[in-house]
């Protein structure tokens, strides 16, 4: 099988595996005062320091979570307290579900947030929390986050940035982006699943926990930390796949898909080198995913979905793509991708497009009366 679904989860990097194997040798709870506890705490704090340094935060401003979903939910819960919430229309469900009543910030046909509309929304009411992701999980579109931060701060608003797909692919720095909080997830960077972080800026207020428990993470997130997973997370911070190589492979497969009738959704703007969203007019996304899977290629229809059901993409719908929003697959290249995988994809895509598009024009079966 060729795995081209990195935005769902990147393959584990050897650095993460080695760090986790070493950390598994340490027995102890970082909250215990004895030597074993202190050894576990040392691992935890070393990891925290590395995460902080790589992403432009202070150690004390890194809140370890169970992943990107929890980091987003914590940001909305804590920074959105008694504030209006404005959410970009193409945000991940982790943010949308945490703020179901939020005002929506529209995007243009390329997926870029409308900053004039943001200015108007900010000016029209009390202080807000704005959620704007750095890179979109379906199209790879990179948002003008630093500009949005200026607007937000001019209007007394907080800005939360979901950098889950951006980290490890483009530079991500809390201080340079000038946002108030930033969400990370280890498994999108080649680390283990089940761990991530919310990074807070220097000026952000004291935050109330979603999970209080034993007061860990400076009272901002209770629960015994998963030390080995956190060590694996820290080990991949600062590692980046060769973006130029990925862009060359991505452009090549896009050209082949276009030759077979596909349309690239959200092209022509800054975007992640590893990601493309390919719509095949008239052909349902789930049929494409299944056909490619049977041919040994793993891709997804829009975002990976926990229920296993494929839904029409809210991202592509927000971009005004209409019915094409249910006819697009996401191809996301992992750091391990080979040229051979792209060749196999191209051949499989050509077969899939020919077969499924032929089925569209096939004459209907004529039933004869029994
Ligand atoms: N934010 C974005 C943009 C994502 O793509 C994802 C996962 O797909 C998440 C948040 C959730 O991260 P996690 O899987 O670590 O909960």
């Amino acid at each position: 099988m060729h795995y081209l679904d990195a935005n769902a989860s990147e393959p584990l990097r050897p650095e993460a595996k080695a760090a986790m194997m070493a950390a598994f040798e340490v027995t102890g709870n970082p909250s215990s005062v004895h030597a074993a506890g202190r050894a576990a705490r040392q691992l935890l704090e070393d990891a925290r320091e590395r995460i902080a340094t790589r992403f432009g935060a202070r150690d004390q401003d890194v809140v370890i979570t169970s992943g990107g979903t929890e980091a987003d939910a914590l940001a909305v819960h804590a920074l959105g307290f008694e504030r209006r919430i404005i959410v970009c229309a193409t945000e991940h469900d982790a943010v949308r579900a945490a703020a179901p009543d939020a005002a929506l910030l529209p995007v243009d046909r390329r997926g870029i947030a409308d900053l004039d509309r943001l200015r108007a929304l900010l000016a029209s009411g009390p202080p807000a929390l704005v959620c704007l992701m750095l890179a979109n999980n379906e199209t790879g579109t990179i948002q003008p986050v630093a500009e949005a931060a200026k607007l937000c701060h001019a209007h007394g608003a907080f800005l939360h940035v979901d950098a889950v797909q951006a980290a490890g692919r483009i530079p991500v720095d809390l201080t340079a982006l000038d946002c108030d909080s930033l969400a990370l997830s280890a498994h999108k960077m080649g680390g283990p699943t089940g761990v991530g972080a919310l990074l807070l800026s220097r000026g952000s207020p004291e935050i109330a926990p979603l999970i209080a428990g034993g007061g860990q993470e400076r009272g901002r997130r209770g629960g015994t930390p998963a030390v080995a997973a956190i060590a694996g997370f820290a080990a991949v911070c600062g590692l980046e796949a060769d973006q130029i190589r990925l862009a060359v492979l991505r452009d090549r497969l896009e050209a082949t898909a276009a030759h077979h009738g596909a349309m690239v959704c959200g092209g022509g703007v800054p975007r992640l080198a590893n990601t493309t969203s390919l719509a095949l007019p008239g052909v349902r996304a789930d049929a494409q995913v299944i056909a490619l899977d049977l041919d040994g290629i793993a891709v997804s229809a829009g975002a990976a979905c926990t229920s296993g059901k494929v839904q029409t993409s809210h991202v592509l719908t927000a971009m005004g793509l209409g019915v094409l929003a249910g006819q697009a697959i996401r191809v996301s290249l992992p750091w391990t991708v080979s040229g051979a995988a792209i060749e196999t994809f191209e051949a499989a895509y050509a077969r899939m497009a020919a077969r499924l598009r032929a089925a569209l024009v096939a004459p209907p079966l004529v039933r004869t009366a029994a």
Side-chain angles (χ1 to χ4, degrees):
M1 187 194 64
H2 291 289
Y3 182 78
L4 303 181
D5 201 13
N7 291 10
S9 205
E10 283 278 6
L12 192 69
R13 284 184 175 271
E15 293 87 346
K17 194 171 177 183
M20 284 190 288
M21 295 313 281
F24 281 131
E25 298 299 324
V26 176
T27 303
N29 183 324
S31 299
S32 302
V33 291
H34 47 60
R38 291 198 304 276
R41 170 146 307 263
Q42 187 66 50
L43 275 181
L44 174 63
E45 295 312 326
D46 287 351
R48 189 189 309 282
E49 188 189 339
R50 182 168 170 135
I51 296 164
T53 309
R54 301 295 167 163
F55 293 105
R58 298 183 304 176
D59 299 7
Q60 65 265 42
D61 295 328
V62 174
V63 185
I64 302 291
T65 65
S66 63
T69 302
E70 187 190 328
D72 282 331
L74 180 58
V76 171
H77 163 81
L79 297 182
F81 182 65
E82 292 189 340
R83 281 177 175 252
R84 283 187 299 150
I85 302 180
I86 301 170
V87 162
C88 183
T90 55
E91 290 300 293
H92 189 270
D93 280 345
V95 168
R96 294 182 345 128
D101 302 322
L104 280 189
L105 174 64
V107 297
D108 65 18
R109 246 188 121 72
R110 305 159 311 161
I112 301 283
D114 181 345
L115 293 192
D116 289 332
R117 183 83 187 107
L118 177 60
R119 189 178 293 108
L121 279 169
L122 288 169
S124 72
L129 164 68
V130 176
C131 299
L132 180 63
M133 70 204 317
L134 186 50
N136 185 266
N137 45 302
E138 291 185 36
T139 58
T141 305
I142 297 169
Q143 297 289 0
V145 163
E147 279 172 75
K150 283 199 191 83
L151 277 180
C152 288
H153 293 151
H155 290 85
F158 290 140
L159 177 65
H160 168 64
V161 173
D162 176 331
V164 162
Q165 294 289 351
R169 295 178 178 147
I170 57 171
V172 175
D173 187 289
L174 177 81
T175 312
L177 291 171
D178 195 23
C179 54
D180 298 282
S181 61
L182 190 132
L184 299 170
S185 171
H187 76 110
K188 310 289 186 178
M189 300 161 54
T193 50
V195 62
L198 182 68
L199 273 46
L200 299 165
S201 72
R202 268 171 193 266
S204 65
E206 240 341 285
I207 64 166
L210 265 178
I211 304 164
Q216 290 90 345
E217 298 296 305
R218 296 173 175 259
R220 297 180 290 202
R221 200 272 186 183
T224 303
V227 175
I230 297 165
F233 175 17
V236 297
C237 291
L239 303 180
E240 221 180 71
D242 180 346
Q243 299 301 305
I244 294 174
R245 178 173 159 272
L246 289 177
V248 168
L249 295 174
R250 191 264 325 262
D251 290 350
R252 196 178 105 190
L253 79 82
E254 278 184 351
T256 303
H259 179 73
H260 294 286
M263 209 193 97
V264 177
C265 308
V269 284
R271 59 191 171 124
L272 298 177
N274 80 318
T275 308
T276 184
S277 170
L278 300 170
L280 192 58
V283 183
R284 283 176 46 160
D286 52 352
Q288 298 178 52
V289 171
I290 291 165
L292 290 170
D293 185 32
L294 292 174
D295 229 348
I297 307 281
V299 296
S300 70
C305 180
T306 44
S307 62
K309 269 191 318 203
V310 175
Q311 294 160 341
T312 300
S313 157
H314 74 272
V315 172
L316 303 183
T317 301
M319 288 162 62
L321 295 187
V323 287
L324 285 180
Q327 299 169 354
I329 58 167
R330 173 184 73 185
V331 184
S332 49
L333 311 183
W335 63 272
T336 48
V337 73
S338 64
I342 302 300
E343 270 165 37
T344 311
F345 171 85
E346 289 173 319
Y349 193 90
R351 281 192 292 276
M352 179 274 291
R355 194 162 57 76
L356 296 181
R357 296 190 91 197
L360 290 178
V361 292
L365 287 177
V366 180
R367 282 181 185 276
T368 44

